[in-house]
Amino acid sequence: MSEGKHNQKRESSSAAVSARRKREASRIAEYNGMVQDLNAKMNAKEYSPESFILTTRLLEMNPDFYTVWNHRRTILLHTSLDTADSDAKQAILNKELSLFMTLIRINPKSYWLWNHRMWCLVTMPFANWNGELDLVDKLLAMDARNFHGWDYRRYVVRQLRSLAKDEHEEKAIVRSEFEYTLRKINQKVTNYSAWHQRSKLLPEVVQDMSDKERSKLFEEEMDLAKAAIFTDPNDQSAWLYYGWLMGVENTSDLIVGAFHLINAPTPTTLVVLSNKCTLLRSPEVSDTDGQTVPGQWYRVAGSLDASATWLFASDGGVPHKITIRKDMVAPAAECTATVDAIEGHPDLFTAVKDRRHVLKPKKAYNDPSIEVRPWHTVNMTERVVEELEELRELLEIEPDSKWLLQMFTKLLLLNIRLNPTLAQESEDEVLELLSRLINIDTYHRARYQLIKTRLELQREVRQGVKSDRANALLVSMIQD
C-alpha cells in the first residue's frame, strides 16, 4: 500500500509540473504576442489608448523591459501630455508615480523603474523634491545598502541644490546629507554606500572651515573609520574610507619607468605605469632640447583600452622626457618622467610586437570628484608612521585579514613616497606582505603579483641596473 501511495504522489507531482509548464508556456506566448503587437503599433506610430494599455500590461509582467518604458513615454508625449494644461499634466504624471510604487515592489533595484520616475519628476510642472527625499529615506530604511536608492538620493539632492535660493541654503543641504551618512553608518558600519557618499561630501563640508577646524574634523573622521575597522576588520567599507582619508591610492608616481630600446628594429620607447590606465590622448614627448618628438602611441596588452604598459614609436628624434597631464589619462593623474636607455632582448621585442594596439583618443570627462583636494593640514609624513604602528598591533590580532594586509601594504608604499630614505627596508616588507596576500587572497593573486613585479622593476631603475632582469620584468608585465 505504501508503494502505491508513493507512486500516486509521484504521478500527482508530475501532473502538477506538467500543468505548471503549460501555464508558463501560455503566459510566455501571451507576453510575446503583446510585445509583437506593441512593436507593430509603435512602428505605425499608433499612439492610441490600446497601445498605452499594452505598455501597462507588459510592464506589470516585466518592469525591466526598457524599450516598453520608452514606448510608454513616447505615447504620453504624443497624446495626453501634448495638450494638457499644468494641472492635467501633474495628474497624469502622478498616476505614473503611482504605477512606479506598484512595480517597485517587484524589483526595487530596477534601473528602468528609477529612470522613469526621474523622467516623470523633471517633466511634471510641480515636482515635490522634498517628498522624494522622504520617499528614498523610507526605501533606505528598509534596505540601507540599495545602491539604486543611494544613486537616486544623490540625484534628488542635486535637484534640491539647484533649487536652493542662496548659497547658505545649498550648504545647509550638503551638511544635512553629511549628517545623514553618519546616521546610516552608525546603524550599520558595513554600509559601503554611506561611506562612499560621505567621502564625496566631506571636501564640500570643510570649505568654510579654518585649518584648525579641518584638522579636528580629520581626526574625528579617522576615529569613526577606525572604530568601524576594529568592530569588523574583515569588512571593506570602512577600510576604503580610511584609505581615502590617508590618501593611500596616491602611493606612487604614475610612471614606474620609461625605457628607450636602443637596439629595437624601429624607434621604440616602453612606458610602464603604476596601474592600468586609459590614455585619452597622447602624452607629451620631448627630446633633450625640449623639442616635441612626433610619433604614435600604442596600448601594449591590457583590455578595454586600459593598460599598465604603453609604447611610443617615434617618427624621428630620441625621447628624453614624457609628461602625462590629468586630462590625458583616466583615472586623472599627472606625472613627468625621464626616459632611460636600455638594450632590449629579442623576447621583449616579440612580446611588444604581438600585443600592441593603436591608441584611440577619447573625450575627457571632467569629474571633480577625482581631483586630489587637500582638505586638511595634518602632517601626513608623521601621521603615516603613527598609523603603521597602530595597524601593526592589529596585525598581531588579525594576521590573515586581507583588508588589513592590503591597507598596511599601501601605507608602507605611501611611507616610501613620503620618506624615500626608507625605501629599501620598507620595500622588503612590502614584498613579503604581497607574498602573504597572494596566498590568502587567491582571487586577486594576479594583481598582487603585478604590484610585486612593478616594485621590483622600480628597484632596477632606481639602482641604474639595465640587465637581463629588467628585460624579464618588462616581458612579464606585458604578458600579464
Side-chain angles (χ1 to χ4, degrees):
M1 181 179 285
S2 61
E3 183 179 351
K5 287 185 177 180
H6 178 70
N7 289 336
Q8 288 174 11
K9 288 181 180 179
R10 292 188 62 181
E11 289 172 4
S12 175
S13 175
S14 176
V17 170
S18 178
R20 186 180 72 248
R21 286 177 177 172
K22 286 180 180 180
R23 288 194 301 271
E24 289 175 350
S26 176
R27 187 174 174 82
I28 291 170
E30 179 190 12
Y31 176 82
N32 289 335
M34 287 192 294
V35 170
Q36 292 174 6
D37 193 10
L38 178 62
N39 286 337
K41 289 179 181 296
M42 296 305 295
N43 288 335
K45 297 185 178 180
E46 186 182 328
Y47 307 132
S48 62
E50 292 77 13
S51 299
F52 190 71
I53 290 170
L54 271 176
T55 66
T56 303
R57 291 180 63 191
L58 283 167
L59 291 169
E60 286 173 345
M61 297 173 74
N62 179 11
D64 289 324
F65 201 156
Y66 68 91
T67 302
V68 178
W69 284 114
N70 290 337
H71 290 336
R72 188 178 183 86
R73 287 189 285 272
T74 299
I75 294 169
L76 283 169
L77 290 170
H78 282 85
T79 55
S80 54
L81 289 179
D82 186 38
T83 57
D85 60 19
S86 295
D87 290 338
K89 283 183 179 179
Q90 187 73 20
I92 292 165
L93 292 168
N94 277 334
K95 287 183 180 179
E96 291 299 294
L97 295 183
S98 296
L99 175 66
F100 167 91
M101 295 305 296
T102 300
L103 299 182
I104 199 67
R105 293 182 175 90
I106 300 173
N107 182 9
K109 298 181 179 180
S110 169
Y111 283 104
W112 312 112
L113 268 169
W114 288 106
N115 182 62
H116 188 66
R117 188 172 188 89
M118 287 188 283
W119 177 82
C120 290
L121 286 157
V122 297
T123 305
M124 64 173 41
F126 316 110
N128 181 3
W129 293 109
N130 282 309
E132 290 302 295
L133 203 60
D134 292 338
L135 169 69
V136 77
D137 199 3
K138 292 175 182 176
L139 174 71
L140 293 175
M142 293 185 291
D143 181 5
R145 300 177 68 177
N146 184 336
F147 71 90
H148 293 274
W150 279 98
D151 189 51
Y152 186 66
R153 186 179 183 92
R154 282 188 285 270
Y155 173 76
V156 172
V157 169
R158 286 197 299 271
Q159 297 298 323
L160 287 170
R161 292 182 64 174
S162 70
L163 297 171
K165 62 184 179 182
D166 53 34
E167 186 179 357
H168 176 75
E169 183 177 322
E170 184 179 1
K171 287 181 179 179
I173 293 170
V174 173
R175 186 74 200 186
S176 175
E177 279 304 289
F178 190 65
E179 293 168 355
Y180 177 80
T181 63
L182 180 59
R183 291 198 299 274
K184 288 300 175 184
I185 289 168
N186 285 336
Q187 288 171 8
K188 196 173 187 66
V189 296
T190 59
N191 191 333
Y192 169 81
S193 294
W195 288 106
H196 173 74
Q197 180 74 341
R198 196 167 182 81
S199 71
K200 296 299 182 184
L201 294 168
L202 186 52
E204 289 193 80
V205 169
V206 301
Q207 282 183 357
D208 296 330
M209 291 184 178
S210 65
D211 288 348
K212 184 177 180 180
E213 289 172 327
R214 292 184 179 206
S215 295
K216 180 176 181 292
L217 183 57
F218 173 85
E219 297 299 340
E220 291 172 353
E221 294 302 301
M222 287 291 290
D223 289 343
L224 178 66
K226 285 194 280 190
I229 285 168
F230 277 83
T231 300
D232 187 356
N234 293 313
D235 179 75
Q236 67 170 328
S237 304
W239 279 118
L240 292 173
Y241 189 68
Y242 173 90
W244 177 78
L245 290 170
M246 292 298 297
V248 296
E249 298 308 321
N250 191 26
T251 55
S252 63
D253 289 329
L254 177 63
I255 300 177
V256 173
F259 308 93
H260 180 63
L261 308 181
I262 56 179
N263 59 330
T266 57
T268 301
T269 301
L270 271 181
V271 179
V272 180
L273 307 182
S274 59
N275 52 72
K276 288 186 177 181
C277 297
T278 298
L279 290 184
L280 305 173
R281 61 187 182 91
S282 299
E284 298 169 2
V285 183
S286 57
D287 59 20
T288 52
D289 296 324
Q291 299 298 311
T292 298
V293 177
Q296 175 67 53
W297 281 90
Y298 297 86
R299 171 173 58 84
V300 182
S303 61
L304 299 176
D305 297 323
S307 179
T309 312
W310 294 81
L311 180 149
F312 176 72
S314 65
D315 295 334
V318 178
H320 171 68
K321 184 179 291 184
I322 294 174
T323 301
I324 296 178
R325 306 194 188 283
K326 65 182 180 182
D327 61 342
M328 297 176 176
V329 63
E334 289 189 323
C335 189
T336 298
T338 301
V339 179
D340 287 309
I342 184 172
E343 185 172 326
H345 290 188
D347 53 353
L348 179 56
F349 299 145
T350 301
V352 169
K353 181 180 178 181
D354 292 344
R355 292 173 172 82
R356 70 181 195 175
H357 307 271
V358 176
L359 168 64
K360 299 176 182 178
K362 294 175 177 58
K363 183 179 179 181
Y365 169 61
N366 183 25
D367 181 359
S369 68
I370 60 177
E371 298 285 350
V372 178
R373 289 177 279 189
W375 59 272
H376 60 77
T377 57
V378 174
N379 185 328
M380 295 308 293
T381 302
E382 296 177 357
R383 187 52 179 260
V384 169
V385 175
E386 295 173 8
E387 294 302 317
L388 281 169
E389 291 176 358
E390 278 195 44
L391 293 191
R392 198 179 293 278
E393 293 179 6
L394 185 56
L395 262 177
E396 294 178 2
I397 304 171
E398 298 282 348
D400 296 327
S401 169
K402 71 174 183 178
W403 297 110
L404 174 55
L405 287 167
Q406 281 184 18
M407 189 55 62
F408 195 79
T409 302
K410 289 178 178 180
L411 282 177
L412 280 173
L413 289 170
L414 180 57
N415 198 33
I416 292 170
R417 182 181 176 85
L418 297 174
N419 301 284
T421 56
L422 302 175
Q424 182 65 44
E425 180 181 351
S426 295
E427 283 175 358
D428 288 340
E429 188 171 8
V430 168
L431 291 171
E432 188 273 329
L433 288 168
L434 288 170
S435 296
R436 288 173 62 184
L437 280 166
I438 287 171
N439 293 325
I440 292 172
D441 186 12
T442 55
Y443 185 76
H444 297 105
R445 176 180 295 170
R447 185 178 71 181
Y448 300 133
Q449 185 57 56
L450 191 58
I451 296 172
K452 280 188 70 176
T453 303
R454 288 174 188 153
L455 192 59
E456 290 167 351
L457 182 59
Q458 282 178 311
R459 279 183 154 182
E460 292 286 322
V461 173
R462 189 172 60 246
Q463 294 169 7
V465 179
K466 302 176 180 63
S467 60
D468 293 346
R469 175 63 174 161
N471 267 266
L473 290 169
L474 285 168
V475 170
S476 69
M477 293 186 72
I478 292 169
Q479 292 177 339
D480 279 333

Short mmCIF file of all heavy atoms in Angstrom, two decimals, residues 49-93:
data_model
loop_
_atom_site.label_atom_id
_atom_site.label_comp_id
_atom_site.label_asym_id
_atom_site.label_seq_id
_atom_site.Cartn_x
_atom_site.Cartn_y
_atom_site.Cartn_z
N PRO A 49 -4.93 54.70 -27.01
CA PRO A 49 -5.15 54.16 -25.66
C PRO A 49 -4.85 52.67 -25.58
O PRO A 49 -4.35 52.19 -24.56
CB PRO A 49 -6.64 54.44 -25.41
CG PRO A 49 -6.96 55.62 -26.26
CD PRO A 49 -6.12 55.45 -27.49
N GLU A 50 -5.12 51.93 -26.67
CA GLU A 50 -4.82 50.50 -26.68
C GLU A 50 -3.32 50.25 -26.56
O GLU A 50 -2.87 49.33 -25.85
CB GLU A 50 -5.37 49.85 -27.96
CG GLU A 50 -6.89 49.80 -28.06
CD GLU A 50 -7.50 51.14 -28.43
OE1 GLU A 50 -6.74 52.06 -28.86
OE2 GLU A 50 -8.73 51.30 -28.28
N SER A 51 -2.55 51.07 -27.27
CA SER A 51 -1.09 50.94 -27.19
C SER A 51 -0.60 51.22 -25.78
O SER A 51 0.27 50.52 -25.24
CB SER A 51 -0.42 51.90 -28.17
OG SER A 51 -0.81 51.63 -29.50
N PHE A 52 -1.16 52.25 -25.15
CA PHE A 52 -0.77 52.61 -23.79
C PHE A 52 -1.12 51.49 -22.81
O PHE A 52 -0.31 51.15 -21.92
CB PHE A 52 -1.48 53.91 -23.39
CG PHE A 52 -0.97 54.50 -22.11
CD1 PHE A 52 0.28 55.09 -22.04
CD2 PHE A 52 -1.73 54.46 -20.96
CE1 PHE A 52 0.76 55.63 -20.86
CE2 PHE A 52 -1.27 54.99 -19.77
CZ PHE A 52 -0.02 55.58 -19.73
N ILE A 53 -2.30 50.88 -22.98
CA ILE A 53 -2.71 49.77 -22.11
C ILE A 53 -1.76 48.59 -22.27
O ILE A 53 -1.42 47.90 -21.29
CB ILE A 53 -4.16 49.36 -22.41
CG1 ILE A 53 -5.13 50.46 -21.95
CG2 ILE A 53 -4.51 48.04 -21.72
CD1 ILE A 53 -6.55 50.25 -22.42
N LEU A 54 -1.31 48.36 -23.51
CA LEU A 54 -0.34 47.28 -23.75
C LEU A 54 0.94 47.50 -22.96
O LEU A 54 1.51 46.56 -22.40
CB LEU A 54 -0.03 47.17 -25.24
CG LEU A 54 -0.93 46.27 -26.09
CD1 LEU A 54 -0.53 46.37 -27.56
CD2 LEU A 54 -0.83 44.81 -25.62
N THR A 55 1.43 48.75 -22.91
CA THR A 55 2.66 49.02 -22.14
C THR A 55 2.45 48.71 -20.67
O THR A 55 3.33 48.16 -20.02
CB THR A 55 3.11 50.49 -22.31
OG1 THR A 55 2.16 51.37 -21.72
CG2 THR A 55 3.32 50.85 -23.77
N THR A 56 1.27 49.05 -20.15
CA THR A 56 0.98 48.78 -18.73
C THR A 56 1.01 47.28 -18.46
O THR A 56 1.63 46.82 -17.49
CB THR A 56 -0.39 49.35 -18.35
OG1 THR A 56 -0.42 50.75 -18.63
CG2 THR A 56 -0.65 49.13 -16.85
N ARG A 57 0.33 46.51 -19.31
CA ARG A 57 0.26 45.06 -19.10
C ARG A 57 1.66 44.43 -19.19
O ARG A 57 2.02 43.55 -18.40
CB ARG A 57 -0.67 44.45 -20.14
CG ARG A 57 -2.14 44.82 -19.94
CD ARG A 57 -3.02 44.19 -21.00
NE ARG A 57 -2.98 42.73 -20.92
CZ ARG A 57 -3.49 41.91 -21.83
NH1 ARG A 57 -4.05 42.41 -22.94
NH2 ARG A 57 -3.43 40.60 -21.68
N LEU A 58 2.45 44.87 -20.16
CA LEU A 58 3.80 44.31 -20.32
C LEU A 58 4.70 44.67 -19.14
O LEU A 58 5.47 43.83 -18.66
CB LEU A 58 4.43 44.80 -21.63
CG LEU A 58 3.93 44.12 -22.90
CD1 LEU A 58 4.37 44.89 -24.14
CD2 LEU A 58 4.45 42.68 -22.97
N LEU A 59 4.61 45.90 -18.67
CA LEU A 59 5.45 46.33 -17.56
C LEU A 59 5.05 45.66 -16.25
O LEU A 59 5.90 45.42 -15.38
CB LEU A 59 5.41 47.85 -17.41
CG LEU A 59 6.10 48.60 -18.58
CD1 LEU A 59 5.79 50.09 -18.51
CD2 LEU A 59 7.60 48.36 -18.57
N GLU A 60 3.79 45.32 -16.11
CA GLU A 60 3.36 44.58 -14.93
C GLU A 60 3.94 43.16 -14.94
O GLU A 60 4.19 42.57 -13.88
CB GLU A 60 1.84 44.52 -14.89
CG GLU A 60 1.20 45.85 -14.47
CD GLU A 60 -0.31 45.83 -14.61
OE1 GLU A 60 -0.86 44.92 -15.28
OE2 GLU A 60 -0.96 46.75 -14.06
N MET A 61 4.19 42.65 -16.13
CA MET A 61 4.80 41.33 -16.26
C MET A 61 6.33 41.41 -16.18
O MET A 61 6.99 40.51 -15.67
CB MET A 61 4.38 40.67 -17.58
CG MET A 61 2.89 40.41 -17.69
SD MET A 61 2.40 39.82 -19.32
CE MET A 61 3.00 38.11 -19.27
N ASN A 62 6.90 42.51 -16.71
CA ASN A 62 8.35 42.65 -16.76
C ASN A 62 8.73 44.13 -16.64
O ASN A 62 8.87 44.83 -17.65
CB ASN A 62 8.91 42.06 -18.06
CG ASN A 62 10.43 42.22 -18.15
OD1 ASN A 62 11.08 42.57 -17.19
ND2 ASN A 62 10.98 41.97 -19.34
N PRO A 63 8.90 44.63 -15.42
CA PRO A 63 9.20 46.06 -15.23
C PRO A 63 10.59 46.47 -15.69
O PRO A 63 10.91 47.66 -15.69
CB PRO A 63 9.06 46.25 -13.71
CG PRO A 63 9.25 44.90 -13.13
CD PRO A 63 8.73 43.92 -14.14
N ASP A 64 11.43 45.52 -16.12
CA ASP A 64 12.78 45.85 -16.60
C ASP A 64 12.85 45.97 -18.12
O ASP A 64 13.95 46.09 -18.67
CB ASP A 64 13.78 44.78 -16.13
CG ASP A 64 14.03 44.86 -14.64
OD1 ASP A 64 14.05 45.98 -14.11
OD2 ASP A 64 14.18 43.80 -14.01
N PHE A 65 11.72 45.93 -18.79
CA PHE A 65 11.70 46.00 -20.26
C PHE A 65 11.82 47.47 -20.67
O PHE A 65 10.84 48.18 -20.85
CB PHE A 65 10.40 45.40 -20.79
CG PHE A 65 10.46 44.96 -22.23
CD1 PHE A 65 9.59 43.99 -22.70
CD2 PHE A 65 11.38 45.51 -23.12
CE1 PHE A 65 9.62 43.57 -24.02
CE2 PHE A 65 11.43 45.11 -24.44
CZ PHE A 65 10.55 44.14 -24.90
N TYR A 66 13.07 47.95 -20.83
CA TYR A 66 13.29 49.39 -21.02
C TYR A 66 12.70 49.93 -22.31
O TYR A 66 12.29 51.09 -22.39
CB TYR A 66 14.79 49.71 -20.95
CG TYR A 66 15.63 49.18 -22.07
CD1 TYR A 66 15.86 49.93 -23.22
CD2 TYR A 66 16.22 47.92 -21.98
CE1 TYR A 66 16.62 49.44 -24.25
CE2 TYR A 66 17.00 47.43 -23.00
CZ TYR A 66 17.20 48.19 -24.15
OH TYR A 66 17.96 47.71 -25.17
N THR A 67 12.62 49.07 -23.37
CA THR A 67 12.03 49.52 -24.62
C THR A 67 10.56 49.88 -24.43
O THR A 67 10.05 50.85 -25.00
CB THR A 67 12.16 48.43 -25.70
OG1 THR A 67 13.54 48.11 -25.87
CG2 THR A 67 11.59 48.89 -27.03
N VAL A 68 9.86 49.10 -23.61
CA VAL A 68 8.45 49.38 -23.34
C VAL A 68 8.30 50.69 -22.57
O VAL A 68 7.37 51.47 -22.82
CB VAL A 68 7.79 48.21 -22.58
CG1 VAL A 68 6.34 48.52 -22.26
CG2 VAL A 68 7.88 46.93 -23.42
N TRP A 69 9.23 50.96 -21.65
CA TRP A 69 9.20 52.26 -20.95
C TRP A 69 9.37 53.40 -21.96
O TRP A 69 8.70 54.43 -21.85
CB TRP A 69 10.30 52.32 -19.90
CG TRP A 69 10.02 51.55 -18.64
CD1 TRP A 69 10.69 50.45 -18.19
CD2 TRP A 69 9.01 51.83 -17.67
NE1 TRP A 69 10.15 50.02 -17.00
CE2 TRP A 69 9.12 50.85 -16.65
CE3 TRP A 69 8.02 52.79 -17.56
CZ2 TRP A 69 8.28 50.83 -15.54
CZ3 TRP A 69 7.18 52.77 -16.45
CH2 TRP A 69 7.31 51.80 -15.47
N ASN A 70 10.28 53.23 -22.90
CA ASN A 70 10.48 54.26 -23.93
C ASN A 70 9.20 54.47 -24.74
O ASN A 70 8.80 55.60 -25.03
CB ASN A 70 11.63 53.87 -24.86
CG ASN A 70 12.97 53.94 -24.17
OD1 ASN A 70 13.14 54.66 -23.18
ND2 ASN A 70 13.95 53.22 -24.68
N HIS A 71 8.55 53.36 -25.13
CA HIS A 71 7.30 53.46 -25.87
C HIS A 71 6.24 54.19 -25.04
O HIS A 71 5.48 55.02 -25.57
CB HIS A 71 6.78 52.06 -26.24
CG HIS A 71 7.60 51.37 -27.28
ND1 HIS A 71 8.38 52.04 -28.19
CD2 HIS A 71 7.75 50.03 -27.56
CE1 HIS A 71 8.98 51.17 -29.00
NE2 HIS A 71 8.61 49.94 -28.63
N ARG A 72 6.19 53.86 -23.76
CA ARG A 72 5.18 54.48 -22.89
C ARG A 72 5.37 55.99 -22.84
O ARG A 72 4.39 56.76 -22.93
CB ARG A 72 5.28 53.86 -21.48
CG ARG A 72 4.15 54.30 -20.54
CD ARG A 72 4.30 53.61 -19.19
NE ARG A 72 3.22 53.93 -18.29
CZ ARG A 72 2.04 53.29 -18.24
NH1 ARG A 72 1.79 52.31 -19.08
NH2 ARG A 72 1.10 53.66 -17.38
N ARG A 73 6.60 56.45 -22.70
CA ARG A 73 6.86 57.88 -22.65
C ARG A 73 6.53 58.55 -23.99
O ARG A 73 6.00 59.67 -24.03
CB ARG A 73 8.31 58.13 -22.24
CG ARG A 73 8.58 57.84 -20.77
CD ARG A 73 9.97 58.30 -20.35
NE ARG A 73 11.01 57.42 -20.85
CZ ARG A 73 11.45 56.34 -20.21
NH1 ARG A 73 10.91 55.99 -19.05
NH2 ARG A 73 12.42 55.60 -20.71
N THR A 74 6.86 57.84 -25.07
CA THR A 74 6.54 58.39 -26.39
C THR A 74 5.04 58.58 -26.56
O THR A 74 4.58 59.62 -27.06
CB THR A 74 7.07 57.44 -27.49
OG1 THR A 74 8.49 57.33 -27.38
CG2 THR A 74 6.72 57.96 -28.88
N ILE A 75 4.26 57.59 -26.14
CA ILE A 75 2.80 57.67 -26.24
C ILE A 75 2.28 58.84 -25.40
O ILE A 75 1.42 59.62 -25.85
CB ILE A 75 2.15 56.35 -25.80
CG1 ILE A 75 2.52 55.23 -26.78
CG2 ILE A 75 0.63 56.50 -25.72
CD1 ILE A 75 2.15 53.83 -26.29
N LEU A 76 2.79 58.96 -24.16
CA LEU A 76 2.34 60.06 -23.30
C LEU A 76 2.63 61.42 -23.92
O LEU A 76 1.79 62.33 -23.90
CB LEU A 76 3.03 59.95 -21.94
CG LEU A 76 2.51 58.88 -20.97
CD1 LEU A 76 3.46 58.72 -19.79
CD2 LEU A 76 1.10 59.24 -20.48
N LEU A 77 3.82 61.57 -24.49
CA LEU A 77 4.21 62.86 -25.06
C LEU A 77 3.40 63.21 -26.30
O LEU A 77 3.19 64.39 -26.60
CB LEU A 77 5.71 62.84 -25.41
CG LEU A 77 6.67 62.84 -24.21
CD1 LEU A 77 8.09 62.58 -24.66
CD2 LEU A 77 6.60 64.18 -23.46
N HIS A 78 2.93 62.19 -27.02
CA HIS A 78 2.17 62.44 -28.24
C HIS A 78 0.66 62.49 -28.01
O HIS A 78 -0.10 62.80 -28.93
CB HIS A 78 2.48 61.37 -29.30
CG HIS A 78 3.79 61.58 -29.99
ND1 HIS A 78 4.97 61.12 -29.47
CD2 HIS A 78 4.10 62.21 -31.16
CE1 HIS A 78 5.96 61.44 -30.29
NE2 HIS A 78 5.46 62.10 -31.32
N THR A 79 0.21 62.18 -26.80
CA THR A 79 -1.24 62.15 -26.54
C THR A 79 -1.59 63.06 -25.37
O THR A 79 -1.65 64.28 -25.53
CB THR A 79 -1.71 60.71 -26.28
OG1 THR A 79 -0.94 60.13 -25.21
CG2 THR A 79 -1.52 59.85 -27.53
N SER A 80 -1.80 62.49 -24.22
CA SER A 80 -2.35 63.25 -23.09
C SER A 80 -1.47 64.41 -22.65
O SER A 80 -1.98 65.50 -22.33
CB SER A 80 -2.62 62.31 -21.91
OG SER A 80 -1.45 61.58 -21.59
N LEU A 81 -0.16 64.23 -22.63
CA LEU A 81 0.72 65.31 -22.19
C LEU A 81 0.85 66.42 -23.22
O LEU A 81 1.22 67.56 -22.89
CB LEU A 81 2.12 64.76 -21.85
CG LEU A 81 2.25 63.91 -20.60
CD1 LEU A 81 3.68 63.41 -20.44
CD2 LEU A 81 1.81 64.67 -19.35
N ASP A 82 0.53 66.10 -24.46
CA ASP A 82 0.74 67.07 -25.54
C ASP A 82 -0.22 68.24 -25.44
O ASP A 82 0.14 69.39 -25.76
CB ASP A 82 0.56 66.35 -26.89
CG ASP A 82 0.89 67.25 -28.06
OD1 ASP A 82 1.86 68.04 -27.95
OD2 ASP A 82 0.20 67.18 -29.09
N THR A 83 -1.43 67.99 -25.01
CA THR A 83 -2.46 69.06 -24.99
C THR A 83 -2.90 69.46 -23.59
O THR A 83 -3.70 70.38 -23.43
CB THR A 83 -3.69 68.58 -25.78
OG1 THR A 83 -4.18 67.36 -25.22
CG2 THR A 83 -3.33 68.36 -27.26
N ALA A 84 -2.41 68.78 -22.58
CA ALA A 84 -2.87 69.03 -21.20
C ALA A 84 -2.32 70.32 -20.64
O ALA A 84 -1.20 70.75 -20.98
CB ALA A 84 -2.48 67.86 -20.31
N ASP A 85 -3.11 70.97 -19.76
CA ASP A 85 -2.59 72.14 -19.04
C ASP A 85 -1.76 71.65 -17.85
O ASP A 85 -1.60 70.44 -17.64
CB ASP A 85 -3.73 73.05 -18.59
CG ASP A 85 -4.73 72.35 -17.66
OD1 ASP A 85 -4.37 71.31 -17.07
OD2 ASP A 85 -5.86 72.85 -17.52
N SER A 86 -1.25 72.56 -17.07
CA SER A 86 -0.33 72.20 -15.98
C SER A 86 -0.96 71.25 -14.97
O SER A 86 -0.34 70.25 -14.56
CB SER A 86 0.16 73.46 -15.27
OG SER A 86 0.94 74.24 -16.14
N ASP A 87 -2.20 71.54 -14.57
CA ASP A 87 -2.85 70.69 -13.57
C ASP A 87 -3.10 69.29 -14.12
O ASP A 87 -2.93 68.28 -13.41
CB ASP A 87 -4.17 71.32 -13.13
CG ASP A 87 -3.96 72.57 -12.29
OD1 ASP A 87 -2.86 72.71 -11.71
OD2 ASP A 87 -4.89 73.40 -12.21
N ALA A 88 -3.50 69.22 -15.40
CA ALA A 88 -3.75 67.91 -16.01
C ALA A 88 -2.46 67.11 -16.15
O ALA A 88 -2.42 65.90 -15.91
CB ALA A 88 -4.43 68.09 -17.37
N LYS A 89 -1.38 67.80 -16.56
CA LYS A 89 -0.09 67.12 -16.66
C LYS A 89 0.35 66.56 -15.31
O LYS A 89 0.86 65.44 -15.21
CB LYS A 89 0.98 68.11 -17.17
CG LYS A 89 0.92 68.39 -18.65
CD LYS A 89 2.06 69.32 -19.07
CE LYS A 89 2.02 69.59 -20.57
NZ LYS A 89 3.10 70.50 -20.99
N GLN A 90 0.13 67.38 -14.28
CA GLN A 90 0.51 66.94 -12.94
C GLN A 90 -0.26 65.67 -12.55
O GLN A 90 0.32 64.72 -12.01
CB GLN A 90 0.23 68.05 -11.93
CG GLN A 90 0.74 67.80 -10.53
CD GLN A 90 2.26 67.91 -10.42
OE1 GLN A 90 2.91 68.52 -11.27
NE2 GLN A 90 2.83 67.31 -9.38
N ALA A 91 -1.54 65.64 -12.87
CA ALA A 91 -2.37 64.48 -12.52
C ALA A 91 -1.94 63.24 -13.29
O ALA A 91 -1.87 62.14 -12.73
CB ALA A 91 -3.84 64.81 -12.81
N ILE A 92 -1.63 63.41 -14.57
CA ILE A 92 -1.20 62.28 -15.41
C ILE A 92 0.10 61.69 -14.88
O ILE A 92 0.25 60.47 -14.74
CB ILE A 92 -1.02 62.74 -16.88
CG1 ILE A 92 -2.39 63.09 -17.49
CG2 ILE A 92 -0.34 61.66 -17.70
CD1 ILE A 92 -2.28 63.88 -18.79
N LEU A 93 1.05 62.56 -14.56
CA LEU A 93 2.36 62.07 -14.12
C LEU A 93 2.31 61.55 -12.69
O LEU A 93 3.10 60.67 -12.33
CB LEU A 93 3.39 63.20 -14.27
CG LEU A 93 3.68 63.54 -15.75
CD1 LEU A 93 4.46 64.83 -15.87
CD2 LEU A 93 4.42 62.40 -16.44
#
